[in-house]
Amino acid sequence: MFLGNANCRKNDDLYKTLMYDFVKKHGVILEATNNSFENEGVFNPAAIKEGNNVHLFYRAVRTGNFSTIGYCKLDGPLKVIERSETPILFPENSQEFQGLEDPRITKIDNTYYLSYSAYDGINVFGAYATSNDLKTFERKGIITPKFSFEEYAKLIRQNLNKISDKHLLFYDLFERHHLSNIMKANVYVWDKNVVFFPKKFNGKFAFLHRLFPTIQIVFFENPQDLTRDFWVDYVTHLSDHIVLRTSHHYERSHIGAGCPPIETPDGWLLIYHAAEITANGTLYHAAAALLDLENPRKIIGQLNKPLICPTEDWEKKGVVSNVVFPTGTALFDDELYIYYGAADSRIAVASVNIDTLIKNLKTAGV
């Protein structure tokens, strides 16, 4: 266990020392209930602020690891005043059989875009739904590529000298274990962590996503543009679309887009998750970067250590231990509240002064 010996306790102390002193943890605000759809865990919430209220759309897990999307409303950044007793969204097709996971929400013009991972028990694709009132949502379907690992590997190899060979990790694993052609034909590359920017770029939508292990960006005018031919060209030139690579010690495994980017005068503030491989297993941290306003592929600054580490009991013990997984934010005056899944079991909140965070990002550089 992570907490079970002196060496692990030393690591605990190390991460507490590593964390920035301007980060304040507020603890857990939402836990599982006896309701059948969320009796195993509630975590990884999408968050959007309207007036003095924060609306959370969270991953609700029932026995057997089946996920739906639950809802609650906060008065201010921390106080729960309303909570739905039934899911807001639940599986409606075979691609969502095992669940709708890890939602994020962004408002573009007058429309809310709720993105999530559609999981059928084997494959994971990025999908989204839209709403005008935060009450009813219209599914728009999957918007990430559908490639077998062999197809993906063939495309990636044309660009492999410019990207990490970790992009072939799962293909190599399949080959090593000699999986049957039937199995390989029905297993597709996972594409997760779809997060929309809250504005268009020259008339085009933009979203971040994660083809393991880096964070990439997609620009498109209409969802119909995201054809197979589009994705063939995109993956063939994947290095052109990478926003963040695994470049720091706390990102040794992989990274993924976390909260929707926040527009500031200094750039796009991105809170993302970073997975670190350690002797005690994989640890998930929250991290931060600052991206150029006009060209978000350009990094202005990136923290050289994690923003939030799993140091508290509610982050270290759970269905998946040692996890801080940020998925939503809300800004109250100059205090940025970060909502995150803790140990894949509960929802917790931390906050930072946004000006202090941006100052640290600009000082850190690339």
Side-chain angles (χ1 to χ4, degrees):
M1 291 290 291
F2 185 71
L3 299 172
N5 57 53
N7 289 332
C8 292
R9 286 194 294 273
K10 287 179 182 178
N11 286 337
D12 245 11
D13 294 337
L14 171 64
Y15 282 109
K16 287 182 178 179
T17 303
L18 276 178
M19 279 186 55
Y20 292 90
D21 58 10
F22 57 80
V23 176
K24 180 179 180 180
K25 291 188 177 181
H26 300 274
V28 175
I29 62 166
L30 211 69
E31 299 206 59
T33 69
N34 291 326
N35 287 335
S36 60
F37 77 99
E38 57 180 12
N39 61 0
E40 193 168 282
V42 297
F43 50 101
N44 301 356
I48 193 156
K49 181 188 176 191
E50 294 288 349
N52 196 55
N53 296 125
V54 179
H55 301 267
L56 297 184
F57 299 86
Y58 57 86
R59 179 175 171 184
V61 182
R62 67 176 172 87
T63 303
N65 192 34
F66 289 88
S67 298
T68 56
I69 296 178
Y71 168 79
C72 74
K73 183 167 71 173
L74 310 181
D75 178 23
L78 301 172
K79 183 180 179 181
V80 178
I81 59 171
E82 181 182 328
R83 185 171 182 177
S84 176
E85 294 184 355
T86 57
I88 296 295
L89 285 170
F90 47 84
E92 288 187 349
N93 56 62
S94 60
Q95 293 170 324
E96 301 170 349
F97 170 75
Q98 193 80 22
L100 288 71
E101 300 182 349
D102 306 341
R104 279 80 158 186
I105 193 165
T106 307
K107 189 177 184 180
I108 307 173
D109 298 326
N110 294 315
T111 302
Y112 300 96
Y113 290 75
L114 182 76
S115 55
Y116 59 91
S117 295
Y119 181 42
D120 65 8
I122 298 175
N123 303 297
V124 180
F125 301 104
Y128 78 106
T130 60
S131 176
N132 294 317
D133 58 8
L134 294 177
K135 296 178 181 178
T136 58
F137 288 86
E138 180 183 356
R139 279 175 167 80
K140 298 295 183 179
I142 289 170
I143 53 172
T144 54
K146 188 176 183 179
F147 291 123
S148 71
F149 278 94
E150 287 188 309
E151 292 172 325
Y152 181 70
K154 183 177 179 181
L155 296 172
I156 279 290
R157 283 201 172 98
Q158 300 177 57
N159 200 219
L160 202 55
N161 63 322
K162 296 181 180 180
I163 61 176
S164 167
D165 57 7
K166 281 187 177 180
H167 282 281
L168 288 173
L169 177 67
F170 294 106
Y171 172 78
D172 291 341
L173 182 65
F174 281 12
E175 288 298 292
R176 192 178 307 130
H177 290 279
H178 305 291
L179 295 185
S180 71
N181 289 332
I182 294 176
M183 172 67 79
K184 287 191 285 189
N186 291 285
V187 179
Y188 299 96
V189 172
W190 282 23
D191 199 332
K192 304 181 69 174
N193 304 310
V194 169
V195 179
F196 280 89
F197 280 78
K199 67 180 291 185
K200 295 182 180 180
F201 294 81
N202 298 319
K204 292 186 175 183
F205 291 95
F207 68 78
L208 301 170
H209 67 127
R210 202 277 306 290
L211 288 165
F212 188 96
T214 60
I215 298 173
Q216 306 94 35
I217 191 169
V218 177
F219 296 96
F220 66 98
E221 290 186 6
N222 299 296
Q224 292 79 9
D225 298 337
L226 302 176
T227 63
R228 182 177 176 83
D229 287 342
F230 174 95
W231 287 116
V232 166
D233 180 75
Y234 183 94
V235 173
T236 302
H237 302 94
L238 191 65
S239 63
D240 295 337
H241 309 294
I242 293 175
V243 175
L244 290 175
R245 300 171 185 261
T246 53
S247 55
H248 294 286
H249 71 90
Y250 58 88
E251 305 169 338
R252 285 176 183 150
S253 176
H254 60 276
I255 56 177
C259 311
I262 302 164
E263 187 175 13
T264 78
D266 297 287
W268 291 104
L269 173 59
L270 177 64
I271 309 296
Y272 63 98
H273 69 262
E276 178 183 8
I277 297 175
T278 74
N280 304 302
T282 302
L283 279 69
Y284 279 79
H285 310 282
L290 192 65
L291 312 176
D292 185 79
L293 284 176
E294 300 300 321
N295 178 15
R297 294 188 189 94
K298 179 182 177 182
I299 305 171
I300 296 171
Q302 187 177 13
L303 297 183
N304 54 25
K305 61 181 183 179
L307 181 64
I308 310 171
C309 302
T311 59
E312 308 300 326
D313 282 348
W314 66 79
E315 301 159 340
K316 294 186 297 185
K317 297 178 181 178
V319 175
V320 181
S321 298
N322 307 315
V323 173
V324 168
F325 198 89
T327 45
T329 62
L331 187 62
F332 285 82
D333 297 322
D334 58 358
E335 196 73 5
L336 182 68
Y337 289 82
I338 302 168
Y339 301 87
Y340 61 93
D344 277 15
S345 301
R346 54 195 71 90
I347 295 171
V349 187
S351 67
V352 298
N353 179 282
I354 191 169
D355 296 327
T356 302
L357 176 55
I358 290 173
K359 180 181 178 181
N360 275 264
L361 283 163
K362 293 170 70 176
T363 302
V366 180

